[in-house]
Amino acid sequence: MDGLFREQALDARRQRWLGRIRLPLSRMGTAMAALAAFASLALAALLWFGHYTRSEPAYGQLQPRGGVLALAAPAAGTLLRSPVNEGERVRRGQILLEISPELDSPALRGGVGAAVGAELSAQRARLLADRSALEQGNAQRSEQWRERIDAAQRRIALAQAQLALREQQAAQARTLSARVRPLRGDKLLSEVQWQQYETARIDAEARVQDARRERLDAERELADARAALAEQPRDNERQRHRIERELADIAQDDARNEGRRRIAVRAPRDGRAVAVAAVPGQSVAAGQRLLSLAPLHAPMQAELWVSDRVVGLVAPGTPVAMRYAGFPYQRYGVQRGKVVAVARGALSAEEIRARTGLAADAPAWRVLVALERQRIGARPLQAQMRVDAELRLERRRLYEYLLAPLQAGRDDAPVRTAGVSR
């Protein structure tokens, strides 16, 4: 091996007289190589340190915390009175609107409700008169029954005295008939005279029965009068209750009639009247929104609506960039916020339109966003201002974004199981 190296070295010395080969170096090539190396390093740094943020658009509006209550017309009719103005504070139970759904007819003066009310008033007046007459006649009827009781008692006493007299007369007639009977057998008394004595006795017995019947009639009349006097308070009570029931029915009918003639819309809670949309004299439809009620001293938040494509990636804390329709972003910039709540279920497009008045063409989920600022400059945010937003869903490094398809391919690859050797 050493001999071989020596021979190669001797050959190299013999060929040195031919000269050495040198390649010329270009200045531009050096610069380009340095530039390519720098670009490679910059690209690697960009892929390593650069980030990609995925965002999804959303739409909605500003709402105070606690929401804005939309008060609608409970029935179709004419708005009679609206005692509250835009921005005015209202108390719970305060009347905000009065609506008249009353129908009118050329044949009736003042409308159907007025005619029904007049008839109910007339019926009430008649019943009140009956009740007054009942109270006033109660004492008079009691006095009449007492007088009948006294008369019946006097009649009984008279009948008793008459009965005693008739019984005495009947006893005398029987005694006389018994005394003259032997004379009839001795032929001292004619048959005609005997019949006269018998007739007198029979008449006396009949008068006794009549006196007893008269006393029974007087006693029955006394019992009836006493029973009627005892029953009178209960009868008066029944009649009074009947009148009271009819008056209560008329009061209910009157209340229903008044309710059909005039409907009051009251404030369900304390708040501030906003978006007053009707004026007195205007015709309104059932379910038409007339005004809204915003809570007092409640901070504003954004109520956004997102599709099912991204709702699974939205969670509390997700950053949101927003542009307010009332404050152009070209001048006031983009506003920031964070998601604080995500609904667990979606609302249909019809429900979203009915709830917010926004144009919606598909079901969406409600997302609440807390705002970084409640004012834009010196101007406060207003309820129901339209908001266009972008949800910052996820942030990746650029190399992770580029390698995502490969990672997805590995995740989707079928799992191989170890086979059993045979």
Side-chain angles (χ1 to χ4, degrees):
M1 183 65 69
D2 294 339
L4 180 60
F5 287 155
R6 291 192 190 95
E7 291 178 0
Q8 291 178 352
L10 291 175
D11 292 338
R13 290 192 187 95
R14 294 191 192 100
Q15 297 176 0
R16 187 176 295 174
W17 62 273
L18 295 175
R20 295 180 179 179
I21 300 174
R22 291 184 178 180
L23 297 176
L25 297 178
S26 174
R27 294 181 179 178
M28 183 61 69
T30 302
M32 293 300 293
L35 182 60
F38 179 77
S40 299
L41 291 176
L43 180 60
L46 179 63
L47 293 176
W48 180 262
F49 295 105
H51 292 84
Y52 163 76
T53 301
R54 179 187 174 186
S55 62
E56 287 289 340
Y59 66 94
Q61 59 186 2
L62 295 179
Q63 295 282 3
R65 185 177 300 172
V68 175
L69 292 179
L71 302 182
T78 303
L79 183 62
L80 297 180
R81 191 168 66 97
S82 179
V84 295
N85 299 318
E86 180 74 25
E88 183 178 344
R89 296 182 60 174
V90 298
R91 300 183 306 275
R92 179 181 180 182
Q94 179 179 343
I95 295 179
L96 305 180
L97 303 164
E98 289 186 7
I99 301 172
S100 173
E102 184 177 5
L103 300 177
D104 200 355
S105 173
L108 299 174
R109 294 183 178 180
V112 176
V116 174
E119 179 61 27
L120 292 174
S121 298
Q123 293 181 13
R124 182 186 297 107
R126 287 194 294 269
L127 288 174
L128 291 176
D130 292 343
R131 187 175 64 180
S132 299
L134 179 65
E135 297 297 335
Q136 294 175 0
N138 186 19
Q140 183 178 359
R141 286 189 295 273
S142 298
E143 184 64 25
Q144 291 175 354
W145 286 117
R146 292 190 183 94
E147 290 177 358
R148 292 185 63 177
I149 291 173
D150 294 340
Q153 290 176 343
R154 290 193 298 271
R155 182 181 173 188
I156 291 173
L158 181 60
Q160 185 65 31
Q162 188 176 7
L163 176 61
L165 180 60
R166 297 290 175 82
E167 288 179 346
Q168 184 178 2
Q169 290 176 351
Q172 292 177 355
R174 287 192 297 271
T175 301
L176 182 59
S177 177
R179 287 180 179 178
V180 300
R181 180 172 299 180
L183 299 177
R184 178 187 178 193
D186 297 338
K187 302 297 182 177
L188 297 177
L189 187 66
S190 66
E191 190 67 26
V192 174
Q193 291 176 335
W194 167 250
Q195 290 296 330
Q196 291 176 351
Y197 283 110
E198 283 295 313
T199 299
R201 182 183 65 80
I202 293 173
D203 289 341
E205 295 287 347
R207 287 193 292 271
V208 169
Q209 297 298 325
D210 292 339
R212 289 176 178 174
R213 188 180 301 107
E214 183 69 20
R215 187 184 66 177
L216 290 176
D217 292 341
E219 291 175 349
R220 187 180 301 109
E221 182 179 355
L222 176 61
D224 292 341
R226 286 176 175 175
L229 181 62
E231 183 65 20
Q232 182 181 346
R234 291 189 290 270
D235 184 62
N236 291 337
E237 191 70 14
R238 284 192 296 269
Q239 294 186 30
R240 189 173 63 84
H241 286 169
R242 177 185 59 80
I243 294 174
E244 294 294 339
R245 284 195 301 270
E246 294 181 2
L247 286 174
D249 294 339
I250 290 177
Q252 293 178 2
D253 294 339
D254 193 18
R256 284 192 290 267
N257 182 56
E258 287 298 324
R260 287 189 292 266
R261 296 181 62 191
R262 187 182 296 264
I263 300 176
V265 179
R266 299 180 181 272
R269 68 182 184 187
D270 295 343
R272 190 179 303 277
V274 297
V276 179
V279 294
Q282 177 181 345
S283 297
V284 296
Q288 177 181 345
R289 188 186 67 83
L290 301 179
L291 61 84
S292 299
L293 195 63
L296 298 173
H297 312 300
M300 288 290 175
Q301 61 184 4
E303 182 184 64
L304 304 180
W305 300 93
V306 300
S307 64
D308 55 356
R309 186 179 66 255
V310 298
V311 67
L313 302 177
V314 181
T318 299
V320 183
M322 293 167 290
R323 297 182 295 274
Y324 302 148
F327 298 95
Y329 72 95
Q330 296 88 345
R331 178 179 177 182
Y332 297 96
V334 176
Q335 310 304 318
R336 306 291 177 180
K338 289 186 178 181
V339 174
V340 294
V342 181
R344 296 181 178 270
L347 295 183
S348 65
E350 292 78 8
E351 291 172 329
I352 296 174
R353 287 194 295 266
R355 176 187 174 92
T356 64
L358 299 174
D361 55 2
W365 275 257
R366 188 169 72 111
V367 175
L368 297 181
V369 179
L371 309 180
E372 285 187 354
R373 295 189 298 173
Q374 294 292 320
R375 290 176 173 269
I376 303 297
R379 302 178 182 178
L381 298 176
Q382 301 294 330
Q384 298 180 327
M385 185 181 295
R386 187 170 57 84
V387 177
D388 294 324
E390 288 187 358
L391 300 172
R392 306 297 173 84
L393 299 180
E394 56 180 347
R395 187 180 183 187
R396 293 184 181 182
R397 295 182 185 273
L398 291 179
Y399 79 90
E400 293 176 344
Y401 177 74
L402 295 175
L403 297 178
L406 299 179
Q407 181 66 30
R410 287 197 299 269
D411 294 340
D412 296 339
V415 179
R416 295 183 179 180
T417 57
V420 180
S421 60
R422 297 182 180 179

Coordinates of all heavy atoms in Angstrom, one line a residue, residues 321-350:
A321 N -63.6 41.2 15.7 CA -63.4 42.5 15.2 C -64.7 42.9 14.6 O -65.3 42.2 13.8 CB -62.3 42.5 14.1
M322 N -65.1 44.2 14.9 CA -66.5 44.6 14.5 C -66.4 46.0 13.8 O -65.5 46.8 14.2 CB -67.3 44.7 15.8 CG -67.7 43.4 16.4 SD -68.4 43.6 18.1 CE -66.9 44.2 19.0
R323 N -67.3 46.2 12.9 CA -67.5 47.4 12.3 C -69.0 47.9 12.5 O -69.9 47.1 12.1 CB -67.2 47.3 10.8 CG -65.8 46.9 10.5 CD -65.5 46.9 9.0 NE -66.3 45.8 8.3 CZ -65.9 44.6 8.3 NH1 -64.7 44.2 8.8 NH2 -66.6 43.6 7.7
Y324 N -69.2 49.0 13.1 CA -70.5 49.5 13.4 C -71.0 50.3 12.2 O -70.3 51.2 11.6 CB -70.5 50.4 14.6 CG -70.0 49.7 15.8 CD1 -69.3 50.5 16.8 CD2 -70.1 48.4 16.0 CE1 -68.8 49.8 18.0 CE2 -69.7 47.7 17.2 CZ -69.0 48.5 18.1 OH -68.5 47.8 19.2
A325 N -72.3 50.1 11.9 CA -72.9 50.8 10.7 C -73.0 52.3 11.0 O -72.8 53.2 10.1 CB -74.3 50.3 10.4
G326 N -73.2 52.7 12.3 CA -73.3 54.1 12.6 C -71.9 54.9 12.7 O -71.9 56.1 12.8
F327 N -70.8 54.1 12.7 CA -69.5 54.7 12.9 C -68.6 54.0 11.8 O -68.1 52.9 12.0 CB -68.9 54.4 14.3 CG -69.7 55.1 15.4 CD1 -70.7 54.4 16.1 CD2 -69.6 56.4 15.7 CE1 -71.4 54.9 17.1 CE2 -70.3 57.0 16.7 CZ -71.2 56.3 17.4
P328 N -68.5 54.6 10.6 CA -67.7 54.0 9.5 C -66.3 53.7 10.0 O -65.6 54.5 10.6 CB -67.7 55.1 8.4 CG -68.9 55.9 8.7 CD -69.1 55.9 10.2
Y329 N -65.9 52.4 9.7 CA -64.6 52.0 10.1 C -63.4 52.8 9.4 O -62.3 52.8 9.9 CB -64.4 50.5 9.9 CG -64.2 50.1 8.5 CD1 -63.0 49.9 7.9 CD2 -65.4 49.9 7.7 CE1 -62.8 49.5 6.6 CE2 -65.2 49.5 6.3 CZ -64.0 49.3 5.8 OH -63.8 49.0 4.5
Q330 N -63.7 53.4 8.2 CA -62.7 54.1 7.6 C -62.2 55.3 8.4 O -61.1 55.8 8.3 CB -63.2 54.6 6.2 CG -63.5 53.5 5.2 CD -64.9 53.0 5.3 OE1 -65.6 53.3 6.3 NE2 -65.3 52.3 4.3
R331 N -63.2 55.8 9.3 CA -62.8 57.0 10.1 C -62.6 56.6 11.6 O -61.7 57.1 12.2 CB -64.0 58.0 10.0 CG -63.8 59.2 10.9 CD -64.9 60.2 10.7 NE -64.8 61.3 11.6 CZ -65.7 62.3 11.7 NH1 -66.8 62.3 10.9 NH2 -65.4 63.3 12.6
Y332 N -63.4 55.7 12.1 CA -63.4 55.3 13.5 C -62.6 54.0 13.8 O -62.4 53.7 14.9 CB -64.8 55.2 14.1 CG -65.5 56.5 14.0 CD1 -66.4 56.8 13.0 CD2 -65.4 57.5 15.0 CE1 -67.1 58.0 12.9 CE2 -66.1 58.7 14.9 CZ -66.9 58.9 13.9 OH -67.6 60.1 13.8
G333 N -62.2 53.3 12.7 CA -61.5 52.1 12.9 C -62.4 50.9 13.3 O -63.6 51.0 13.4
V334 N -61.7 49.8 13.4 CA -62.3 48.5 13.8 C -62.4 48.4 15.3 O -61.4 48.6 16.0 CB -61.6 47.3 13.1 CG1 -62.2 46.0 13.6 CG2 -61.6 47.4 11.6
Q335 N -63.5 48.0 15.8 CA -63.7 47.8 17.2 C -63.5 46.4 17.6 O -63.7 45.5 16.9 CB -65.1 48.3 17.6 CG -65.5 49.7 17.1 CD -64.5 50.7 17.5 OE1 -64.1 50.8 18.7 NE2 -64.2 51.6 16.6
R336 N -63.1 46.2 18.9 CA -62.7 44.9 19.4 C -63.7 44.4 20.5 O -64.4 45.2 21.1 CB -61.3 44.9 19.9 CG -60.2 45.5 19.0 CD -60.0 44.5 17.8 NE -59.1 45.1 16.9 CZ -58.7 44.4 15.8 NH1 -59.2 43.3 15.5 NH2 -57.8 45.0 14.9
G337 N -63.7 43.1 20.6 CA -64.5 42.5 21.6 C -64.2 41.0 21.8 O -63.4 40.5 21.0
K338 N -64.8 40.4 22.8 CA -64.6 38.9 23.0 C -65.9 38.3 23.2 O -66.8 38.8 23.9 CB -63.7 38.7 24.2 CG -62.2 39.1 23.9 CD -61.4 38.7 25.1 CE -59.9 39.0 24.8 NZ -59.0 38.6 25.9
V339 N -66.0 37.0 22.8 CA -67.3 36.3 22.9 C -67.4 35.9 24.4 O -66.5 35.5 25.1 CB -67.2 35.0 22.1 CG1 -68.4 34.1 22.4 CG2 -67.2 35.3 20.6
V340 N -68.6 36.1 24.9 CA -68.9 35.8 26.3 C -69.9 34.6 26.4 O -70.0 34.0 27.5 CB -69.4 37.0 27.1 CG1 -68.3 38.0 27.2 CG2 -70.7 37.6 26.4
A341 N -70.7 34.4 25.4 CA -71.8 33.3 25.5 C -72.1 32.9 24.1 O -72.1 33.7 23.1 CB -73.0 33.8 26.2
V342 N -72.4 31.6 23.9 CA -72.8 31.0 22.7 C -74.1 30.2 22.9 O -74.1 29.4 23.9 CB -71.7 30.1 22.1 CG1 -72.1 29.5 20.8 CG2 -70.4 30.8 21.9
A343 N -75.1 30.4 22.1 CA -76.3 29.7 22.3 C -76.1 28.2 22.0 O -75.3 27.8 21.2 CB -77.4 30.2 21.4
R344 N -77.0 27.4 22.7 CA -76.9 25.9 22.5 C -77.8 25.4 21.4 O -77.7 24.3 21.0 CB -77.3 25.2 23.8 CG -76.3 25.5 25.0 CD -76.7 24.7 26.2 NE -75.8 25.0 27.3 CZ -74.7 24.2 27.6 NH1 -74.5 23.2 26.8 NH2 -73.9 24.5 28.6
G345 N -78.6 26.3 20.9 CA -79.5 25.9 19.8 C -79.7 27.0 18.8 O -79.4 28.2 19.1
A346 N -80.1 26.7 17.6 CA -80.2 27.6 16.5 C -81.7 28.1 16.5 O -82.6 27.5 16.9 CB -79.8 27.0 15.2
L347 N -81.8 29.3 15.9 CA -83.1 29.9 15.6 C -83.3 29.9 14.1 O -82.4 30.1 13.4 CB -83.3 31.3 16.2 CG -83.2 31.5 17.7 CD1 -83.4 33.0 18.0 CD2 -84.3 30.6 18.4
S348 N -84.6 29.7 13.7 CA -84.8 29.7 12.3 C -84.7 31.1 11.7 O -84.7 32.1 12.5 CB -86.2 29.2 12.0 OG -87.2 30.0 12.6
A349 N -84.7 31.2 10.4 CA -84.6 32.6 9.8 C -85.8 33.4 10.1 O -85.7 34.6 10.3 CB -84.5 32.4 8.2
E350 N -87.0 32.8 10.2 CA -88.2 33.5 10.5 C -88.2 34.1 11.9 O -88.6 35.2 12.2 CB -89.5 32.7 10.3 CG -89.8 32.3 8.9 CD -88.9 31.2 8.4 OE1 -88.1 30.6 9.2 OE2 -88.9 30.9 7.2

